Structure formats: structure tokens, C-alpha cells
Amino acid sequence: MIYLDSAATTLQKPNQVLWAVQRAMRTMASPGRGSHRAAELAAQTAFACREEAAQLFGVGDPERVIFTCNATHGLNIAIKSLVKPGDTVVVSGYEHNAVTRPLAAVEGVEIRVADGPLFQPEEMLARFEQLVTPEVACVICNHISNVFGYILPMDEIAELCMRRNVPLIVDASQSAGTIPIDMERWKAAFVAMPGHKGLYGPQGTGLLLCNAPTIPLVEGGTGSASALQQMPDDLPDRLEAGTHNIPGIAGLLEGLRFVRRRGVAQIGQNETGLSQRMALGLSRIPGIRVFEQGEGPRCRGGVLSFRAEGHDCEELGRKLGELGIAVRSGLHCAPLAHKTAGTFETGTIRASISAFNTMDEVERFVGTVAHILKK
């Protein structure tokens, strides 16, 4: 199988990730729940994962790295910590349902959409400049669009938020592991990311980087302050009720180490190079529209969307799957992004790269699409 659906989850993992999960299931118990060797080993592994993430993402205190089930979990914590009924929030026009649905669940929230056109970061920044006014409770923005691979001007958006004293929540679901992220430079209130995409950890893992007061989504045991009937004030315990997914955390630790060894910039450059070659090949096929940027600074990563004239996206995706090529078709859980880009009625076919894809796979994918469309 040629796997080109890493924007959903990376299927190929480093061997060390698989071995770490198996080792944890044999040797580790629950951190903070005992003084025996199995509990201590679990606690050491969890803290090592926090330290690795803190170093990679510019977090000064490892205890402000929170384990979550996925990016959606982290975004829910962040949004519910900052957004109150009746607040005004600014989002980009390319947000995932992981942002828009939690916002819709807060009564009376006014959502302002910075809906700049694809691959025009200066216009996007100008829209944020217009919309971020003193009454705004927070700005929420994804770093890379999960549909189009559009890299938003996050440094400039973060600087705007700092100037106007507005908290920033960053959805790093597609950028963590492929573009440098510096929590300290951005002064972000929260940065949420999955463990199972560009960090090459197991499904069911994620990280929330915290730099603001928090409201827990779940209350329960933490292994600390057990006499209290309220959640502890201190992180990470305040946001980590219940038993940890230690096998997942052990795997995520090895995924983070893999990213650090290979280098975030190197991984990102490889993904972008392969997606550029894919875009070039697809654009030469009659009837294909590739959502690619024009001239100017490159602002698309390893995610590429396209459509084929006269072909339903879901049907073309199914045919590719039958021929052993994994892509994703439809709205990709991001209807707002499709409305902004004008593709809501049709959706797109999305091909997304990981560190394990090759140029040969890209060429075979392009050739297969051409073959299907000739029939």
C-alpha cells in the first residue's frame, strides 16, 4: 500500500515506537499511584516525555506539558478555559471542527472569521488586523490547514495578539513535527497537538502546552492531594484525572525522539519537496485542479488537495483505495475551510506526506490517478 493519509494519522511508525509500547505494557503501571518499581518506571517515562516535548516546543517548565487523548481533547480544554458565554472570538477561515464545534457549544459566542484567500498570508494577516479588537476574548488559529496544507503566518499572528493583549490558541495538528514551534516566542496561551500524526506516536495520544489558567474537562483521581474534593491547582495534575495511557506515552516519547534526531526542518523540507513534485505531476493531467500556490514565498507543507473535473471526489478516492493507495476524500472535518476556499459543494481529494514516503511512491500515485482518469 502507498499510504498518503498522514494528515489523518501516520501509519508507518519508527520501530522504536512499537517496541516502547510493548515494553510499557509489560513493565509499567500507573505513575503516581505507588512506590513500587513498575509505578516508578511509568512516572519516569511520563516525565521524560514531558521534558522531550518541552525542549522541542520551547516550553520552559515540563510540567506545563499536558497529556491528552488527541488535539481535539486539548483544544476543548483550551477553549473552555478561555471562552465564556457571550464572548467574541476570532478564528481563521481554515479551522477544523475541533475548533468550531466547541465554540458553537458555548452560548452566545460571536465568531469572527478571518477568511483570507488560500496561500495569501499577507491578506490573511490583514484580516486578523481588522478583526482583533479590544473586546476579543481570544484568537484561535491552526498553523497549517489540514485540507490544503496552507501554512498560516503564525509568527505575525502571534505578534499581533501580543501587541493587542489577546490570548492565542494554536492548533498545531498538522505542524507539530514538521515546522518549528516555539511556545515562548509566540507567548501563546495554549498550543494543542496530536501525538499520532507528525510526532509518530500511537493513536490516543496528544499534548497541550499551557501558559494560561485552565478549567479541567474531567475531575477525578490524580494520585496527589487526595484529601481534597476539588482538582489540584497545579499542573499537570489539574488536567490529568484518571489513569494515564502509559503505553501510548512511552510510544510518543520515542516518536518525539525520532523527530528530534531527524530534525524538524529536515522532515518538513522532505515533505514539502515530495508534495511539490506531486503537485507538478497532477497538474499535468488534463481535468485536474490542484490547490497549489502561485508565485511568492512558499506557504504550503506536505498536505495537497485536488479535484478531477467530472469525477466525484469520494468515488475517485474509493478507486484509489482499491488500487492500494490511501488518500482521504470529502470535507476532511473542516467545512469552514472548504467554504473559505469555495470547495464546500464538492470537497477535495487530499494526499498527505510523512517522513516515510518516497519519490517513487509519489510518481506511482500520480501515474495511478492518470490511469484512472483515462478510463
Side-chain angles (χ1 to χ4, degrees):
M1 177 173 63
I2 297 176
Y3 188 79
L4 296 172
D5 195 21
S6 292
T9 192
T10 47
L11 181 63
Q12 297 100 331
K13 310 288 186 183
N15 286 332
Q16 293 91 334
V17 171
L18 309 180
W19 297 335
V21 171
Q22 293 176 346
R23 184 169 60 250
M25 293 185 72
R26 291 194 303 266
T27 64
M28 298 182 197
S30 294
R33 269 80 168 175
S35 57
H36 50 81
R37 177 59 179 161
E40 291 173 354
L41 185 57
Q44 292 167 7
T45 300
F47 191 71
C49 191
R50 296 188 209 275
E51 286 186 311
E52 192 74 41
Q55 182 176 359
L56 189 60
F57 301 122
V59 181
D61 181 359
E63 293 190 342
R64 304 194 75 80
V65 176
I66 305 303
F67 296 124
T68 61
C69 299
N70 43 49
T72 299
H73 181 189
L75 287 165
N76 269 265
I77 293 173
I79 289 168
K80 289 174 172 60
S81 294
L82 292 184
V83 181
K84 306 297 183 290
D87 278 350
T88 300
V89 177
V90 177
V91 303
S92 85
Y94 297 92
E95 297 308 310
H96 190 278
N97 280 341
V99 166
T100 58
R101 284 180 173 173
L103 286 175
V106 183
E107 183 178 358
V109 168
E110 177 192 351
I111 302 174
R112 299 178 181 175
V113 180
D115 54 357
L118 273 173
F119 308 122
Q120 297 186 35
E122 290 184 359
E123 289 197 34
M124 172 65 73
L125 184 58
R127 288 290 288 143
F128 273 102
E129 290 269 7
Q130 294 170 355
L131 297 176
V132 180
T133 52
E135 69 272 18
V136 169
C138 71
V139 168
I140 310 174
C141 187
N142 61 19
H143 197 179
I144 301 180
S145 164
N146 75 301
V147 179
F148 300 103
Y150 176 22
I151 303 172
L152 278 72
M154 190 55 64
D155 287 348
E156 292 81 1
I157 293 169
E159 194 275 333
L160 169 66
C161 290
M162 283 186 276
R163 277 193 285 114
R164 301 194 178 172
N165 199 31
V166 174
L168 171 65
I169 299 172
V170 179
D171 177 0
S173 293
Q174 302 299 330
S175 60
T178 65
I179 298 180
I181 291 171
D182 192 328
M183 179 83 165
E184 178 59 31
R185 186 178 75 248
W186 288 346
K187 304 297 183 186
F190 297 98
V191 178
M193 63 189 68
H196 64 100
K197 298 185 183 184
L199 301 181
Y200 297 92
Q203 290 99 321
T205 62
L207 298 171
L208 179 65
L209 316 181
C210 298
N211 195 31
T214 60
I215 295 177
L217 286 185
V218 178
E219 289 84 20
T222 59
S224 62
S226 295
L228 297 178
Q229 288 304 289
Q230 296 78 37
M231 291 297 288
D233 290 330
D234 295 334
L235 295 177
D237 290 1
R238 181 168 176 75
L239 299 178
E240 292 183 1
T243 301
H244 291 77
N245 175 12
I246 284 296
I249 291 168
L252 178 56
L253 170 58
E254 292 303 326
L256 288 163
R257 287 171 173 168
F258 167 81
V259 169
R260 175 173 51 80
R261 287 193 302 268
R262 185 158 296 197
V264 171
Q266 181 62 38
I267 291 173
Q269 289 169 9
N270 179 67
E271 290 187 7
T272 299
L274 290 178
S275 69
Q276 286 177 318
R277 180 64 190 90
M278 183 186 295
L280 179 62
L282 289 172
S283 67
R284 292 172 174 169
I285 302 173
I288 291 280
R289 180 189 175 186
V290 179
F291 290 88
E292 174 66 308
Q293 65 188 87
E295 299 298 324
R298 177 146 294 277
C299 56
R300 186 177 58 72
V303 177
L304 181 72
S305 265
F306 67 98
R307 293 186 308 196
E309 185 179 351
H311 292 263
D312 179 75
C313 288
E314 298 280 3
E315 179 64 14
L316 182 52
R318 183 187 63 78
K319 290 180 178 178
L320 286 165
E322 290 174 350
L323 294 172
I325 297 177
V327 295
R328 185 172 177 186
S329 303
L331 297 182
H332 317 105
C333 298
L336 178 58
H338 286 280
K339 290 176 182 177
T340 301
T343 55
F344 181 73
E345 297 302 323
T346 62
T348 61
I349 300 167
R350 183 187 71 187
S352 47
I353 305 292
S354 83
F356 291 93
N357 288 119
T358 65
M359 187 64 74
D360 178 66
E361 289 179 326
V362 168
E363 299 287 358
R364 288 161 58 196
F365 165 65
V366 172
T368 303
V369 172
H371 173 73
I372 292 173
L373 297 186
K374 283 180 181 178
K375 290 184 177 181

